[in-house]
Amino acid sequence: MRQDEDRTYDFPAIEARWQKTWEETNAFRAPDDSDRPKYYALEMYPYPSGRIHMGHVRNYSIGDVIARFKMMRGFNVLHPIGWDALGMPAENAAIKSGIHPQKWTMDNVAHMKAQLKRMGFAYDWSREVNTCLPEYYKWNQWIFLKMHERGLAYRKESWVNWCPACRTVLANEQAAGGACWRCSSGVEQKKMEQWVLKITDYAEELLSGHAQLGKWPEHVLAMQKNWIGRSEGAYLNFEVPSIKKSIRVFTTRLDTIFGATFLVLSPEHPLVDELVRGPREARLRQWVAKTVAAARAKREIGEADKEGIDTGVTAVNPFTGKPVPVWLANYVLMEYGTGAIMAVPAHDGRDFDFAKKYGLPVVEVVVPEGGSPSPRESAAELFEDAGVLVNSGPYIGLTSYEATKKMAAWANGNGFGEPAVTYRLRDWGISRQRYWGTPIPMIHCPACGIVPVPYEDLPVEIPYKAEFTGESGSPLEKIASFVNVACPKCGRPARRETDTMDTFVDSSWYFFRYTSPDTGALPFTRAAADKWLPVDLYIGGVEHAILHLIYSRFFTKLLRDLGLTTLDEPFPHYLAQGMVLKDGTAMSKSKGNVVDPDEMLEHYGADALRLFILFASPPEKEFAWNEDGIEGCYRFLGRVWQLYQEIKPLRTEAEAPASFSPDPAAFSRLRKKIHQTIRKVGEDIEMRFHLNTAVSAIMELANAVRKEKDILRGSGDGRVLLGEAMETLILALAPFTPHISEEMWRGMGRESLVLRAPWPKFDPELAREELAVVVVEINGKVRDKFETAHDTSEEAMKTAALDLPRIRQLLEGTTVRKVVVIKGKIVNIVV
RNA sequence: GCCGGGGUGGCGGAAGUGGCAGACGCAAGGGACUUAAAAUCCCUCGCCCCGUGAGGGGCAUGCGGGUUCGAUUCCCGCCCCCGGCACCA
């Protein structure tokens, strides 16, 4: 760790000075009425947990480079920030230390805001959004009421994911893998009534919308696609004569229907109650009760052994007319499809395992083209692909594809089935039994039922006075003044809903609010949204690939259908930033490997920290922290500062000493480097987002200046060029290290801010190498090289190559069989 | 199991389109300055071999094949690592 007296440049003073200037001049304000083209740069807003961490620093540094670069490119840049300020940590802090969630949150916001300012991020703070303020969450409630009107918000009793540690319900997305997304506790299953948003209405569009997301990382789209889980197939009804009802199944393999030797229902299936009646009822009911409980518990951990029981009832296979036994088993999920399946053990590993265990028949009905049925010993040997049908009555010989089509038509025509599409995606449960969230604006009236809070009564504010005991149940339930309310319909005493909303509701539309943060009439104004959206570049951690990013897409489509926007997709370009690691794992308090940004700011300053975090690794890759790296970037800035100190006075000094003569080679080398750097840095930032290589190109320019400066300072032309090189260096650094860049820009005699300076232009002619280096290979191995004009003909290149002394020597005694010449690049001699 | 993404020096990483592999930085070693240290500056730096030296040669982008005058890049087959989903019918 470096000592203060070692500073090669006074970053504390420089950074403070420019942060003050930016603030005083509202330098980052994005006017709504500018003629310049708009650019909306957005990074995921933070949860105000207390302090910013390196993940934030990385995320926001990447976004800041883009925002500042676009400003220099002449765009009217909207670069806002805000706070995802509702959520459980605030409430947990209240339980632990007695600080009110509001105070805790607002104090954290104040602290983190100061930290972000010390990083020098170019935010338009006039658009700051804070979701824990009633003026924000009022609109969560407003949107919820609109959804309720349209039947998109409804109440549902169901098994829900329950986190015992957080003591609240979780959405499926938040309980992926059976673990709470926030605290990693094992999730339990509980039957509860809760509020649900009908995201499944948009399942198809969320999937087809991917076509518009060409600038998203492949794997994020894959994850979403997976999550939505679209599945094409058919519903098919099996008559059960004994109860005069039919069992409906969903299958994607209608072509295997002749091999459906039994049906399996989930023990939670609604027909179970009827099916179990009869002589074995007691035993069956006991099995069902046991299995439901066990399955609920086991599903958290993973795979359970397949267990089942025969109901003794038979259904009729509608294609064969033959009876098939109806079983109940733990491996069929009530949540997916219809909760019942037709089991085809010959072509499905799970059904096969089950059939083997209980001695059920296996009938092979599909074989590979040219193949024939053969006994299979294990699930791994099964033929599970599409093929050609056998043992399938009138469909024998058809391909799976043809058979599926004909069978679907036949089932449809005879009224016992139809084509269908199902999704894995399920509706979004948003009820949370917590205090520090948006109150769901509903009232339970004994007479009128569930009544929405009238729009004019919004917001339903979170009551300030509450008890935070950590006991089960929401603190809101115990606040009489909150709970007791007159029914808006009949005026009689009623109870207010005490569930609050999942905070992912807040973050599903905050990017709209930034466009008109002060409007009181609607969540946002149509004009502002139309002007600024979509977000041109959205940057954030890939951990939100399915949660936040799918909810936001859903809300955008919903808001569109409410007429508030015309937008289909909010984020056409998403840059998934990689994780910040140390010692091979993610930084986290529990692992004790956290590097505090404040400490780095203290020792190296914001510019060095920003530069390092951008230089060490490309944005989408993981970034491994190491202290020596930031040391190196700090040293680099020190060298730039030295160059600036040396070059600055050359501009104003008298004529260059005549005793030196200009060195034309050095002059054109540096001039070329200047133009190449402008091109490379601009392209790396704008086209490829390769910020690490942009930084290395800037370093190369600095190295070139250092190397040539002592020769060039001897002539007037050389001095002018050195000044130009220094200014290029400053401009190129400006998006990365804005403070030191402003300081040097001012020092070079420039009046306006460097962030207002236009990004420099390069001259392609000057950026071009004047001579091409031609590599000469013999049998693909480099043997020599020579320089020549770019437009040297292939014939001349060949002659020149064969004439090189070294090549002539090496070719002695061999026969040249072939010579491959690529203009301006290579001559490969094959012998 | 399925779906995605990766394997390049001691390390982080470069190499838009098949054409000099290892840019830039870190670490390391040597040197200058210094009473000394820090800071700073200069030089060396993929591995192996031959040569006293200048220099020369071979091997190298996870492994094995293929296409090509030429492959880190394209194709086929394996191995390993990371991420996501996981009884989804």
Side-chain angles (χ1 to χ4, degrees):
Chain A
M1 192 67 61
R2 144 186 318 267
Q3 302 299 309
D4 286 358
E5 56 267 29
D6 299 334
R7 275 178 201 146
T8 46
Y9 73 104
D10 188 7
F11 66 81
I14 293 170
E15 295 183 356
R17 177 178 319 136
W18 292 102
Q19 283 163 17
K20 189 164 164 248
T21 303
W22 293 328
E23 180 137 7
E24 285 171 357
T25 58
N26 289 319
F28 312 123
R29 180 78 55 91
D32 284 319
D33 56 359
S34 164
D35 293 337
R36 286 172 294 150
K38 72 95 182 177
Y39 190 88
Y40 189 171
L42 184 66
E43 300 108 51
M44 292 177 182
Y45 69 170
Y47 177 80
S49 57
R51 318 174 62 79
I52 62 168
H53 54 65
M54 281 298 171
H56 294 130
V57 171
R58 188 177 193 201
N59 190 173
Y60 302 156
S61 295
I62 295 165
D64 206 52
V65 169
I66 306 300
R68 287 176 177 270
F69 178 80
K70 289 290 179 181
M71 287 175 193
M72 293 175 78
R73 275 281 201 223
F75 287 87
N76 181 24
V77 175
L78 174 58
H79 189 217
I81 191 79
W83 309 97
D84 184 14
L86 289 168
M88 287 184 285
E91 207 169 329
N92 293 341
I95 294 165
K96 213 171 137 193
S97 50
I99 305 165
H100 193 278
Q102 187 180 44
K103 178 174 167 42
W104 186 86
T105 303
M106 295 310 272
D107 286 353
N108 287 348
V109 164
H111 183 82
M112 290 171 74
K113 187 168 175 175
Q115 287 184 301
L116 294 181
K117 287 189 174 180
R118 247 180 298 150
M119 286 297 302
F121 296 134
Y123 293 126
D124 180 351
W125 285 102
S126 74
R127 294 173 183 269
E128 179 179 2
V129 150
N130 184 326
T131 62
C132 76
L133 302 177
E135 66 232 42
Y136 184 86
Y137 66 69
K138 169 183 177 173
W139 301 109
N140 286 344
Q141 295 170 340
W142 186 91
I143 293 166
F144 181 90
L145 291 179
K146 289 284 174 194
M147 293 181 84
H148 187 254
E149 280 172 14
R150 295 176 167 238
L152 292 170
Y154 64 100
R155 220 157 146 72
K156 183 181 172 191
E157 179 172 65
S158 62
W159 288 98
V160 296
N161 303 294
W162 174 264
C163 174
C166 302
R167 295 186 326 283
T168 190
V169 166
L170 301 170
N172 291 318
E173 289 85 340
Q174 295 161 1
C180 172
W181 68 283
R182 198 191 291 274
C183 71
S184 303
S185 311
V187 170
E188 294 170 5
Q189 300 292 322
K190 241 183 154 170
K191 203 155 199 177
M192 286 181 73
E193 196 159 278
Q194 64 159 350
W195 289 99
V196 177
L197 302 184
K198 215 166 178 188
I199 191 172
T200 51
D201 265 18
Y202 289 86
E204 192 60 47
E205 205 195 332
L206 287 168
L207 192 62
S208 64
H210 281 180
Q212 293 172 53
L213 305 181
K215 290 181 176 174
W216 279 42
E218 224 19 82
H219 67 284
V220 174
L221 292 179
M223 275 190 241
Q224 290 203 354
K225 191 176 169 188
N226 224 325
W227 193 263
I228 295 166
R230 185 181 196 274
S231 199
E232 250 176 71
Y235 288 125
L236 199 57
N237 303 327
F238 286 69
E239 292 299 329
V240 185
S242 64
I243 60 168
K244 298 196 169 64
K245 283 191 177 160
S246 65
I247 294 171
R248 190 169 174 79
V249 304
F250 175 73
T251 179
T252 55
R253 289 300 302 274
L254 192 55
D255 59 313
T256 62
I257 178 69
F258 283 75
T261 49
F262 56 102
L263 297 186
V264 190
L265 271 60
S266 164
E268 295 153 40
H269 195 281
L271 281 180
V272 165
D273 192 55
E274 272 183 79
L275 290 168
V276 296
R277 282 175 207 158
R280 297 199 284 165
E281 182 163 354
R283 241 186 72 208
L284 282 163
R285 285 198 188 279
Q286 197 192 352
W287 183 90
V288 167
K290 186 194 80 190
T291 307
V292 168
R296 284 286 164 195
K298 267 185 195 156
R299 257 168 223 165
E300 301 152 21
I301 314 158
E303 214 160 300
D305 282 339
K306 288 180 180 57
E307 301 259 340
I309 192 164
D310 188 358
T311 60
V313 175
T314 57
V316 180
N317 182 325
F319 276 77
T320 62
K322 287 182 191 158
V324 288
V326 177
W327 284 64
L328 307 179
N330 62 349
Y331 77 96
V332 174
L333 304 173
M334 191 57 224
E335 298 83 4
Y336 185 78
T338 62
I341 63 160
M342 61 179 222
V344 185
H347 302 290
D348 181 294
R350 296 156 300 175
D351 296 343
F352 183 86
D353 289 341
F354 191 76
K356 278 284 164 200
K357 178 167 178 180
Y358 293 101
L360 291 156
V362 179
V363 177
E364 207 172 344
V365 290
V366 180
V367 293
E369 202 159 338
S372 56
S374 60
R376 316 278 173 162
E377 294 303 321
S378 75
E381 295 168 27
L382 298 182
F383 181 67
E384 293 183 302
D385 299 331
V388 178
L389 271 70
V390 294
N391 294 331
S392 296
Y395 303 94
I396 288 171
L398 295 179
T399 64
S400 291
Y401 176 76
E402 295 161 346
T404 302
K405 270 204 315 200
K406 288 200 167 177
M407 287 168 162
W410 195 73
N412 204 8
N414 290 280
F416 53 79
E418 68 272 347
V421 175
T422 60
Y423 300 88
R424 207 188 77 121
L425 182 73
R426 274 171 262 154
D427 282 337
W428 174 15
I430 59 156
S431 284
R432 299 290 180 272
Q433 291 69 45
R434 302 295 293 207
Y435 166 81
W436 197 231
T438 305
I440 293 174
M442 287 288 164
I443 289 165
H444 301 267
C445 172
C448 313
I450 291 172
V451 183
V453 172
Y455 285 97
E456 58 270 24
D457 291 350
L458 297 183
V460 177
E461 289 199 32
I462 307 168
Y464 185 83
K465 278 192 104 169
E467 296 272 330
F468 304 100
T469 57
E471 286 158 20
S472 157
S474 166
L476 292 178
E477 289 171 12
K478 295 163 197 136
I479 304 171
S481 59
F482 178 79
V483 173
N484 298 321
V485 66
C487 171
K489 240 184 196 168
C490 66
R492 278 182 288 190
R495 271 182 70 82
R496 203 182 276 289
E497 170 68 60
T498 56
D499 281 354
T500 52
M501 294 184 200
D502 183 356
T503 57
F504 277 98
V505 171
D506 316 4
S507 54
S508 293
W509 66 280
Y510 77 108
F511 44 92
F512 279 100
R513 185 71 186 172
Y514 285 139
T515 65
S516 43
D518 301 318
T519 189
L522 283 169
F524 51 89
T525 69
R526 175 73 186 264
D530 284 351
K531 175 183 170 60
W532 290 108
L533 286 151
V535 172
D536 292 280
L537 180 66
Y538 196 35
I539 309 169
V542 73
E543 64 272 17
H544 291 112
I546 33 190
L547 297 175
H548 165 58
L549 288 173
I550 224 166
Y551 295 147
S552 295
R553 295 182 57 224
F554 162 47
F555 260 56
T556 299
K557 293 169 193 306
L558 172 85
L559 294 168
R560 176 201 61 199
D561 292 347
L562 292 174
L564 278 95
T565 175
T566 50
L567 202 65
D568 293 320
E569 290 289 345
F571 315 126
H573 190 168
Y574 165 53
L575 179 63
Q577 158 225 342
M579 291 206 304
V580 176
L581 308 180
K582 186 167 182 264
D583 315 318
T585 48
M587 279 190 192
S588 77
K589 276 184 207 156
S590 58
K591 287 179 196 130
N593 62 347
V594 177
V595 176
D596 184 5
D598 273 353
E599 226 171 276
M600 297 299 122
L601 280 172
E602 179 80 13
H603 289 284
Y604 304 103
D607 284 337
L609 177 56
R610 293 168 54 122
L611 190 67
F612 172 54
I613 210 160
L614 296 167
F615 171 61
S617 169
E620 69 281 1
K621 247 185 115 161
E622 3 180 88
F623 159 80
W625 180 267
N626 89 315
E627 180 94 22
D628 292 330
I630 190 169
E631 206 35 82
C633 285
Y634 178 81
R635 281 202 297 258
F636 168 74
L637 290 178
R639 287 196 293 271
V640 171
W641 184 256
Q642 283 305 321
L643 282 180
Y644 155 74
Q645 295 288 353
E646 279 185 60
I647 291 170
K648 181 172 63 162
L650 296 181
R651 297 161 44 87
T652 48
E653 267 175 22
E655 278 297 296
S659 55
F660 285 86
S661 58
D663 179 335
F667 185 91
S668 61
R669 268 202 305 273
L670 183 58
R671 189 177 58 187
K672 184 171 66 191
K673 194 73 185 173
I674 291 169
H675 289 267
Q676 287 176 338
T677 304
I678 297 168
R679 178 178 62 193
K680 168 91 175 141
V681 174
E683 286 179 1
D684 278 356
I685 296 174
E686 200 161 34
M687 327 276 290
R688 311 201 291 163
F689 302 93
H690 287 191
L691 306 185
N692 56 327
T693 54
V695 173
S696 77
I698 296 169
M699 288 174 168
E700 283 186 54
L701 175 61
N703 291 345
V705 175
R706 261 149 56 88
K707 199 171 152 197
E708 315 284 14
K709 69 180 191 318
D710 291 329
I711 300 165
L712 292 172
R713 75 189 332 154
S715 73
D717 280 358
R719 291 184 172 197
V720 171
L721 186 69
L722 284 174
E724 193 188 321
M726 194 65 226
E727 292 204 342
T728 303
L729 203 48
I730 295 166
L731 289 166
L733 276 170
F736 297 89
T737 58
H739 310 87
I740 193 175
S741 301
E742 291 289 7
E743 183 76 15
M744 294 188 295
W745 190 244
R746 180 61 53 91
M748 294 297 281
R750 299 294 186 150
E751 294 294 320
S752 75
L753 295 175
V754 73
L755 74 99
R756 302 264 180 260
W759 182 256
K761 290 195 164 43
F762 67 93
D763 180 336
E765 274 309 307
L766 294 177
R768 194 169 122 108
E769 298 287 342
E770 50 268 47
L771 289 176
V773 178
V774 177
V775 175
V776 184
E777 297 178 348
I778 297 176
N779 288 342
K781 286 190 200 295
V782 181
R783 292 303 179 206
D784 206 350
K785 51 189 78 169
F786 66 93
E787 289 190 333
T788 188
H790 288 281
D791 56 0
T792 306
S793 74
E794 298 185 4
E795 198 48 43
M797 280 173 65
K798 179 176 166 181
T799 309
L802 290 170
D803 200 41
L804 292 166
R806 192 170 140 64
I807 298 299
R808 278 160 68 170
Q809 189 192 334
L810 286 163
L811 289 177
E812 222 160 278
T814 62
T815 316
V816 174
R817 298 215 318 256
K818 187 176 175 184
V819 180
V820 179
V821 184
I822 305 294
K823 209 171 180 180
K825 276 190 178 166
I826 205 163
V827 177
N828 189 13
I829 303 160
V830 185
V831 297

